[in-house]
Amino acid sequence: MEPSRRVRPHLRSTCRRKSEARAYHDRRHTLESPSHGGEPTQKGDVPRRIGRTKGGLNSKLHTVCDGEGRPIVMLLSEGQMSDHKGARLVLDALPKAKTLIADRGYDSTPFREALQEKGIEPCIPSSRSRKVPYPYDKALYRQRHKVENLFAKLKDWRRIATRYDRCAHTFFSAICIAATFIFWI
């Protein structure tokens, strides 16, 4: 037997007009509204550092590490911020070095020029969209696996890999504690 395709009488709206039916809906009842009255809550100037990316909501950690793969400088940014923009924010905190090894995401002409002004030679492969690629030392670029190993060790900590913390300062504090414990103690 097939069920009847008609709407049962007790499921039909008792009101004739849609506007009347909406006015008495329990979610729109004025007495049951949130305490803040629909206005955004005031939480101060504490940013969450969560941004929208292709994979959903995300954060990005920009890290400068030494030759042994230990973090020296870290910056937490929104997920939609490009790598080279985040690197520009870390540029003033860079230690003295001969070379900076980075992946294609950090390839931009202004970032390369800023590195050369500081006396640092960039070892960054050109992005695929660049018409005239920059040369780079492929043997030296193989050392970038140390940075990837740094992120792999950080993500072994479940709290960091899944970002349970809502506030950016709490999440970044957890990253700093994990990095200190893993690499410096």
Side-chain angles (χ1 to χ4, degrees):
M1 294 180 84
E2 283 189 36
S4 174
R5 299 251 183 233
R6 293 186 295 181
V7 179
R8 308 228 169 139
H10 67 280
L11 296 177
R12 290 188 201 141
S13 175
T14 57
C15 300
R16 298 263 181 209
R17 287 185 245 155
K18 288 183 181 179
S19 61
E20 289 177 7
R22 278 193 209 130
Y24 294 107
H25 193 275
D26 64 336
R27 290 187 183 179
R28 289 177 173 67
H29 197 276
T30 56
L31 297 177
E32 295 178 13
S33 66
S35 61
H36 54 77
E39 297 173 7
T41 57
Q42 305 273 332
K43 291 196 177 184
D45 294 339
V46 181
R48 291 179 56 197
R49 300 278 188 237
I50 297 177
R52 201 162 286 286
T53 61
K54 287 186 218 176
L57 297 174
N58 202 357
S59 296
K60 194 177 283 189
L61 181 67
H62 304 275
T63 305
V64 177
C65 64
D66 61 5
E68 297 177 25
R70 297 178 299 194
I72 299 172
V73 179
M74 293 189 292
L75 171 75
L76 188 68
S77 70
E78 296 85 9
Q80 76 265 17
M81 181 184 282
S82 63
D83 290 339
H84 60 88
K85 287 182 183 176
R88 290 294 303 244
L89 296 173
V90 179
L91 195 60
D92 293 334
L94 284 178
K96 293 190 180 207
K98 291 190 287 184
T99 317
L100 181 113
I101 304 171
D103 65 353
R104 292 177 198 266
Y106 293 92
D107 178 35
S108 74
T109 306
F111 182 61
R112 286 178 181 271
E113 291 171 355
L115 283 174
Q116 289 175 346
E117 286 175 9
K118 288 190 74 131
I120 300 172
E121 183 66 32
C123 182
I124 305 170
S126 298
S127 63
R128 292 186 175 101
S129 63
R130 194 176 283 279
K131 292 181 182 177
V132 180
Y134 284 102
Y136 69 99
D137 187 1
K138 292 182 181 179
L140 183 62
Y141 185 71
R142 289 190 192 119
Q143 296 297 315
R144 204 181 76 73
H145 77 279
K146 293 178 181 178
V147 178
E148 297 300 326
N149 292 347
L150 176 142
F151 286 110
K153 288 177 184 176
L154 282 175
K155 287 183 179 180
D156 281 345
W157 288 52
R158 189 169 134 200
R159 181 176 185 160
I160 295 169
T162 55
R163 185 167 179 168
Y164 289 133
D165 302 307
R166 184 180 176 115
C167 297
H169 64 278
T170 309
F171 179 59
F172 191 65
S173 298
I175 291 171
C176 292
I177 291 169
T180 303
F181 186 77
I182 295 168
F183 299 104
W184 297 103
I185 292 181

